[in-house]
Amino acid sequence: MPAIEQPRVAQLVRETRQHLNLSQVKLATMLGVSFHSINRWENGRTQPSPLAMKQIQELLHQMGEAGEELLAKYF
Protein backbone atom coordinates (compact mmCIF):
# COMPACT_ATOMS: atom_id res chain seq x y z
CA MET A 1 0.00 0.00 0.00
CA PRO A 2 1.54 3.32 -1.00
CA ALA A 3 1.91 5.96 1.69
CA ILE A 4 -0.78 8.62 1.74
CA GLU A 5 0.14 12.22 2.58
CA GLN A 6 -0.90 13.40 6.05
CA PRO A 7 -3.65 15.85 4.95
CA ARG A 8 -5.17 13.13 2.77
CA VAL A 9 -5.10 10.61 5.62
CA ALA A 10 -7.03 13.06 7.79
CA GLN A 11 -9.55 13.54 4.98
CA LEU A 12 -9.82 9.78 4.39
CA VAL A 13 -10.54 9.04 8.06
CA ARG A 14 -13.12 11.82 8.29
CA GLU A 15 -14.89 10.85 5.06
CA THR A 16 -14.92 7.16 6.00
CA ARG A 17 -16.41 7.95 9.40
CA GLN A 18 -19.02 10.29 7.89
CA HIS A 19 -20.04 7.78 5.20
CA LEU A 20 -20.53 5.18 7.92
CA ASN A 21 -22.49 7.74 9.96
CA LEU A 22 -20.32 7.09 13.01
CA SER A 23 -19.05 9.30 15.78
CA GLN A 24 -15.32 9.39 16.45
CA VAL A 25 -15.96 7.25 19.55
CA LYS A 26 -17.83 4.58 17.58
CA LEU A 27 -15.20 4.43 14.83
CA ALA A 28 -12.51 4.17 17.50
CA THR A 29 -14.34 1.22 19.05
CA MET A 30 -14.64 -0.51 15.66
CA LEU A 31 -10.92 -0.10 15.00
CA GLY A 32 -9.83 -0.94 18.54
CA VAL A 33 -8.19 2.44 19.15
CA SER A 34 -8.98 5.36 21.43
CA PHE A 35 -11.21 8.30 20.60
CA HIS A 36 -8.10 10.46 20.94
CA SER A 37 -6.40 8.51 18.14
CA ILE A 38 -9.29 9.13 15.75
CA ASN A 39 -9.38 12.79 16.75
CA ARG A 40 -5.62 13.18 16.15
CA TRP A 41 -5.87 11.41 12.78
CA GLU A 42 -8.70 13.67 11.62
CA ASN A 43 -6.89 16.79 12.80
CA GLY A 44 -3.68 15.75 11.04
CA ARG A 45 -1.58 15.51 14.20
CA THR A 46 -0.75 11.81 13.80
CA GLN A 47 -1.24 9.03 11.28
CA PRO A 48 -2.91 5.66 11.72
CA SER A 49 -0.64 2.65 12.10
CA PRO A 50 -0.31 0.32 9.11
CA LEU A 51 -2.69 -2.09 10.88
CA ALA A 52 -5.29 0.65 11.39
CA MET A 53 -4.97 1.69 7.73
CA LYS A 54 -5.60 -1.92 6.71
CA GLN A 55 -8.70 -1.98 8.93
CA ILE A 56 -9.92 1.28 7.34
CA GLN A 57 -9.44 -0.28 3.90
CA GLU A 58 -11.48 -3.30 5.00
CA LEU A 59 -14.27 -1.00 6.21
CA LEU A 60 -14.25 0.72 2.83
CA HIS A 61 -14.53 -2.61 1.02
CA GLN A 62 -17.53 -3.50 3.19
CA MET A 63 -19.27 -0.19 2.41
CA GLY A 64 -20.00 -1.13 -1.19
CA GLU A 65 -20.12 1.56 -3.87
CA ALA A 66 -19.38 4.53 -1.57
CA GLY A 67 -16.41 2.66 -0.13
CA GLU A 68 -15.10 1.78 -3.57
CA GLU A 69 -15.19 5.47 -4.51
CA LEU A 70 -13.14 6.37 -1.43
CA LEU A 71 -10.70 3.54 -2.11
CA ALA A 72 -10.18 4.84 -5.65
CA LYS A 73 -9.79 8.40 -4.37
CA TYR A 74 -7.23 7.64 -1.64
CA PHE A 75 -5.52 4.39 -2.58
Side-chain angles (χ1 to χ4, degrees), residues 2-72:
I4 304 173
E5 297 172 13
Q6 181 64 34
R8 290 185 53 79
V9 170
Q11 205 173 357
L12 165 67
V13 173
R14 184 174 298 109
E15 284 187 53
T16 300
R17 183 177 60 77
Q18 289 171 342
H19 273 79
L20 291 169
N21 201 29
L22 297 173
S23 66
Q24 289 182 341
V25 172
K26 288 184 181 179
L27 180 60
T29 300
M30 286 180 74
L31 296 177
V33 299
S34 70
F35 153 78
H36 298 287
S37 292
I38 300 294
N39 188 269
R40 286 185 209 113
W41 297 347
E42 286 192 14
N43 289 313
R45 290 193 299 261
T46 62
Q47 286 201 16
S49 69
L51 177 60
M53 286 299 290
K54 190 166 184 73
Q55 289 174 303
I56 291 168
Q57 277 186 299
E58 287 301 316
L59 283 175
L60 292 173
H61 283 294
Q62 294 170 12
M63 286 170 53
E65 193 173 315
E68 294 301 322
E69 288 176 18
L70 290 175
L71 281 167

